[in-house]
Amino acid sequence: MKTVWHRVNFIIAAMSAGLVAVIVGFSSSVALIYQLVINLGGDSQMVASWFLALGISMGLLSILLSYCYRIPILIAWSTPGAALMVANVQGFTLNQAAGGFIIAAFLLFIFPLLMPLDKLFKWLPQQLASAMLAGILLNFGFSVFTQMDLQPILIISMFISYLIAKRFAPQWALLIVIIVSVMLAWHLQLIESKHIDWQWSELHFIQPDFSWSVILGISLPLFIVTTAAQNIPGIAMLHSFGYQIPIKKVLSITGFTNLFTAAFGGYALNLAAISASICMSEDVHENPKKRYWASIWAGIFYLILGVLAAYIMAWFALLPSSLILALAGIALFGTITHSLQQSVNSESKHINEAAVITLLITASPITLWGLSSVIWGVIGGLLVLFISQLKIKAKD
């Protein structure tokens, strides 16, 4: 009887951890991905297609990789990548974005085979990558307080509920903010009253359009941000729990799968970090070798989420834009804080100065010669480092 109860407890714990991981990942990114598709000229049905493509690919990869290696490997979409695209897709179409996603997926597939990830930071220090990410995300943080001018009661309530939830229930903070904001927006009559019919999600193919401007404006920034801000932390998280994975194989399989989903909205697939830690904790099982079942359950919930995305997004489309923009910014508070801390943590003042220059350029609206501020931010930071090295050598 004890054995049966122990197994039931384990199943419930694994299911719960997988469900929480999916809720945390979804609630932290749903507003970003929705806004990205709208900015590119799509609608709620196109958003549903994106979530279906992401849900199927993330779900299957999480299930198969976790079962194959007996390690809690959770695959996720790139939240920083979505934030980058929202801030960086002005002037691009859905077709161009699809082309950019395919090139980025190819880079994510081929890069681990050609170069170990630790060598990436020999020419791009982690501080510069963190500064670039912080520069991308700052405007999202600003948008929370910008929206307070438009809907003060709603946004201030969201902000306060986030602070309270972050203090007492950090894992559920974003879900609590969503519930509070939707209830209050309904009470303030900011949500359109409309009947929503049940609908299944459908995949919509986007004919890709390739060009050098797409590669420089979308593919390269998306590849750099996904690698530096998602895959590297994802690997570090696995190592911190004592798990050793075949990095080249896992990342190449993920990138290869991404090649087939990119034209349907699967913009970037990568290792999960924060949400993955939920599947690795002792709460799942005292034996680390059994915890992979949590990521398998997370994969199942991702599949369900993808199938139901059309109905969920139809409701999401009724929400006021102020709520969506503020939610996106609040969801990124933690990432902004972490990125700022990591960008100036070097003992070398030259690297810290280069990181600050990278952050300032990236956060600026510069589009000199058709290149985005993200590319110019990296170039500016590397230029500062190069000149500082010349100065040091000259003194020697």
Side-chain angles (χ1 to χ4, degrees):
M1 188 68 180
K2 288 184 178 180
T3 303
V4 173
W5 179 245
H6 182 74
R7 288 180 179 177
V8 171
N9 268 343
F10 169 53
I11 293 173
I12 294 175
M15 287 180 62
S16 300
L19 179 59
V20 171
V22 171
I23 291 174
V24 169
F26 179 77
S27 60
S28 65
S29 306
V30 58
L32 285 172
I33 296 175
Y34 180 86
Q35 194 62 47
L36 170 57
V37 179
I38 299 303
N39 287 0
L40 288 168
D43 54 17
S44 60
Q45 289 188 340
M46 184 60 70
V47 178
S49 172
W50 283 43
F51 276 112
L52 178 57
L54 290 165
I56 291 175
S57 54
M58 288 158 48
L60 291 178
L61 284 172
S62 297
I63 293 170
L64 295 176
L65 291 173
S66 297
Y67 185 79
C68 178
Y69 294 109
R70 299 297 196 272
I71 292 174
I73 301 173
L74 187 62
I75 303 301
W77 50 59
S78 175
T79 299
L84 164 69
M85 293 296 99
V86 172
N88 210 43
V89 295
Q90 289 84 357
F92 291 107
T93 65
L94 269 171
N95 304 90
Q96 291 173 318
F101 299 160
I102 291 173
I103 298 298
F106 177 76
L107 293 174
L108 290 169
F109 160 63
I110 201 69
F111 186 80
L113 300 176
L114 300 178
M115 179 188 296
L117 291 182
D118 56 348
K119 289 186 177 180
L120 172 66
F121 295 110
K122 288 186 176 181
W123 64 272
L124 180 65
Q126 186 175 1
Q127 288 79 8
L128 265 66
S130 296
M132 178 185 66
L133 180 59
I136 294 167
L137 301 182
L138 278 180
N139 286 327
F140 291 94
F142 295 151
S143 69
V144 177
F145 307 100
T146 302
Q147 297 305 314
M148 283 184 182
D149 279 339
L150 303 176
Q151 296 291 343
I153 296 177
L154 174 64
I155 309 304
I156 290 174
S157 299
M158 291 174 65
F159 182 60
I160 293 175
S161 65
Y162 168 78
L163 296 178
I164 296 173
K166 191 71 174 178
R167 173 65 178 85
F168 296 101
Q171 287 186 342
W172 299 94
L174 292 175
L175 184 60
I176 290 172
V177 172
I178 291 176
I179 294 172
V180 169
S181 62
V182 171
M183 291 178 63
L184 186 56
W186 182 269
H187 177 72
L188 296 173
Q189 297 182 341
L190 299 175
I191 297 178
E192 181 183 354
S193 180
K194 182 180 178 181
H195 175 70
I196 302 294
D197 294 324
W198 174 262
Q199 51 187 310
W200 297 102
S201 302
E202 295 181 0
L203 290 173
H204 296 278
F205 178 76
I206 307 169
Q207 182 66 42
D209 183 3
F210 301 97
S211 67
W212 282 110
S213 62
V214 166
I215 294 174
L216 294 175
I218 295 180
S219 303
L220 285 177
L222 181 58
F223 162 70
I224 293 172
V225 167
T226 301
T227 300
Q230 289 282 173
N231 281 331
I232 295 293
I235 294 168
M237 186 65 71
L238 283 162
H239 287 174
S240 69
F241 280 88
Y243 295 109
Q244 300 295 324
I245 67 169
I247 296 172
K248 286 187 176 182
K249 287 184 179 179
V250 170
L251 293 186
S252 293
I253 290 171
T254 303
F256 185 73
T257 304
N258 202 169
L259 282 170
F260 295 95
T261 62
F264 296 95
Y267 66 97
L269 300 176
N270 47 251
L271 290 173
I274 296 174
S275 57
S277 66
I278 298 170
C279 299
M280 302 177 198
S281 70
E282 293 182 359
D283 294 335
V284 176
H285 200 283
E286 64 273 10
N287 184 356
K289 294 182 180 180
K290 298 286 186 69
R291 297 174 190 169
Y292 69 93
W293 280 105
S295 54
I296 289 178
W297 277 108
I300 293 172
F301 288 124
Y302 270 132
L303 292 173
I304 296 173
L305 173 65
V307 172
L308 301 179
Y311 189 66
I312 296 173
M313 287 303 107
W315 282 103
F316 201 80
L318 302 180
L319 301 177
S321 59
S322 292
L323 187 156
I324 294 172
L325 291 172
L327 179 61
I330 291 173
L332 292 169
F333 278 170
T335 306
I336 294 171
T337 302
H338 179 75
S339 299
L340 288 173
Q341 291 172 338
Q342 294 297 312
S343 63
V344 290
N345 67 353
S346 175
E347 295 180 358
S348 170
K349 66 178 183 179
H350 301 293
I351 292 179
N352 289 337
E353 182 181 23
V356 171
I357 297 297
T358 299
L359 186 152
L360 293 174
I361 296 175
T362 304
S364 75
I366 185 174
T367 56
L368 187 62
W369 298 322
L371 298 180
S372 71
S373 61
V374 179
I375 296 297
W376 283 118
V378 175
I379 293 173
L382 291 176
L383 182 61
V384 172
L385 284 181
F386 177 73
I387 293 175
S388 67
Q389 290 298 321
L390 289 179
K391 184 178 179 181
I392 293 172
K393 291 180 179 178
K395 286 183 177 181
D396 293 341

